[in-house]
Amino acid sequence: MIKLIAMDMDGTLLNSQKKISPRTKEALLRAQEAGMILILASGRPTSGLTGFARELSMDRHHGLLVCYNGSKVVDCQSGEELFNQAMTVEEGKAVLEHMKKFDQVRPMIDRGEYMYVNNVYDQMIHLDGKEFNVIEYESRGGHYMLCEKKDLAAFVDLPLNKILTTADPEYLKAHYQEMMEPFKDRLSCMFTGRFYFEFTARGIDKAKALDAVLSPMGYSPKELIAFGDGQNDASMLAYAGRGVAMANGVEELKEKADEVTASNDEDGIGIVIERILEENIS
C-alpha cells in the first residue's frame, strides 16, 4: 500500500508556468487526508520549496522537503532538519577555484537570504534560440537577494550543500567532463537540467536522502511512489517501490521507470494519485 509520495519539482509537479495545477493539487490534498505523506524532492534550496509545501498543506501533515538534490531533508511541520550532508569548506573552495578555468560557466552558491555570483550583470544564457536570464530565474525561484563576489572560492568559509553552475547547454555538454574530472571520485557531480551542472557531497542523491530518513521512521521503499523527469531523479525512482516517469521526461528515465504517466502540463501526477485513491477505496 502506498503511504509516501515523492515528487521532483520542475518538469514534474510544476507545469510549464511553474505552478501546481488545480487537479493535481486536489489529488495531493486528498492523498494527505487519506494518511499519505508528501515529499518534495528537488535540486532547489529549502527556500525554493517552502511556498509550494504550504500551498499543499504539507506543514500540517509532516510533509518532507528533500533539498539540494538530496543533501538536506527538512520536516515541513516541525522545521526539524532530519538529514544534512554538505561538502567540506575545502571541497567547496576547490570546486569554485576549478570553475575559474571555464569562462562561460557561472557558479552560484547560497547562504541565508542571499545567492552569490561572480557578476550580477552577467545573467544571460542561450536556450532554445532565445536569451534566458538564468541568474534572475534562480534567485527568484529560491527567494534570494543577489550579491556579487568576484572570488567565490576566497569568499567561502562554510560547508556548502550545493554548488550550482550554469552555461549554454552546448557549452556544458562539451565541457562537463573536464569540469568534474578533479572531483569525480570525491563528490557527486551531475546534470540537473540541460543548463545546470551541480556538485554535492560524495554519494548524495535523492535516494540516499530518502533512505536516511524513511528507514528510521519505519517506512519501506515498497510504500513509496516517486515521480520524476530528469537524470537526477533516476536514483529516486529506482529506490521507490513504484517509479513513475513523466511523459516529458528524458528517455533514459522513461526506459527505467515502472510506468510513464502524462506530462507535467497534463496532470501526470494527479492522474496516478487519483487512481491510487480509487484503488484504496475499492
Side-chain angles (χ1 to χ4, degrees), residues 53-270:
R54 285 193 297 271
E55 183 180 350
L56 291 171
S57 298
M58 291 170 60
D59 54 334
R60 294 194 287 110
H61 295 277
H62 282 292
L64 302 177
L65 303 180
V66 177
C67 323
Y68 299 108
N69 211 44
S71 74
K72 181 183 288 189
V73 182
V74 176
D75 182 309
C76 290
Q77 188 164 334
S78 66
E80 182 184 0
E81 197 173 278
L82 305 177
F83 175 78
N84 189 3
Q85 186 175 334
M87 290 177 283
T88 66
V89 174
E90 292 73 23
E91 288 169 340
K93 284 181 173 292
V95 171
L96 292 166
E97 192 65 39
H98 184 58
M99 289 306 105
K100 294 176 183 179
K101 299 178 181 179
F102 306 93
D103 59 353
Q104 294 186 41
V105 169
R106 301 162 181 84
M108 293 174 263
I109 60 174
D110 66 90
R111 178 188 294 181
E113 298 178 338
Y114 288 90
M115 188 176 84
Y116 295 88
V117 296
N118 291 128
N119 183 348
V120 297
Y121 299 105
D122 182 20
Q123 303 171 333
M124 298 296 185
I125 62 171
H126 296 93
L127 188 65
D128 299 326
K130 301 177 182 178
E131 285 201 327
F132 174 62
N133 191 329
V134 67
I135 300 297
E136 179 181 11
Y137 174 77
E138 193 62 26
S139 62
R140 298 296 186 202
H143 304 286
Y144 290 123
M145 293 181 283
L146 278 173
C147 187
E148 183 176 283
K149 295 290 180 182
K150 293 190 180 298
D151 192 338
L152 290 173
F155 168 69
V156 168
D157 59 1
L158 290 172
L160 298 174
N161 283 96
K162 181 176 80 168
I163 295 174
L164 180 63
T165 72
T166 186
D168 294 353
E170 296 76 16
Y171 185 89
L172 283 182
K173 189 175 181 180
H175 293 86
Y176 80 93
Q177 290 181 321
E178 187 181 352
M179 290 166 61
M180 68 182 282
E181 180 62 29
F183 312 105
K184 62 183 182 181
D185 298 322
R186 300 164 52 194
L187 301 172
S188 287
C189 319
M190 69 185 72
F191 277 97
T192 55
R194 290 186 297 146
F195 52 95
Y196 285 140
F197 192 80
E198 66 182 49
F199 301 84
T200 55
R202 184 177 182 179
I204 284 297
D205 59 30
K206 295 179 181 181
K208 179 176 180 179
L210 288 169
D211 191 57
V213 298
L214 297 184
S215 291
M217 293 170 68
Y219 290 108
S220 161
K222 293 181 180 179
E223 297 172 307
L224 171 69
I225 185 170
F227 296 86
D229 74 305
Q231 295 172 343
N232 62 319
D233 297 318
S235 69
M236 179 170 71
L237 266 62
Y239 174 78
R242 187 168 168 185
V244 184
M246 310 300 289
N248 53 288
V250 297
E251 288 303 317
E252 310 93 275
L253 190 71
K254 290 192 281 186
E255 290 170 4
K256 296 176 181 177
D258 296 311
E259 63 182 281
V260 178
T261 186
S263 75
N264 62 321
D265 286 325
E266 300 168 318
D267 289 297
I269 290 179

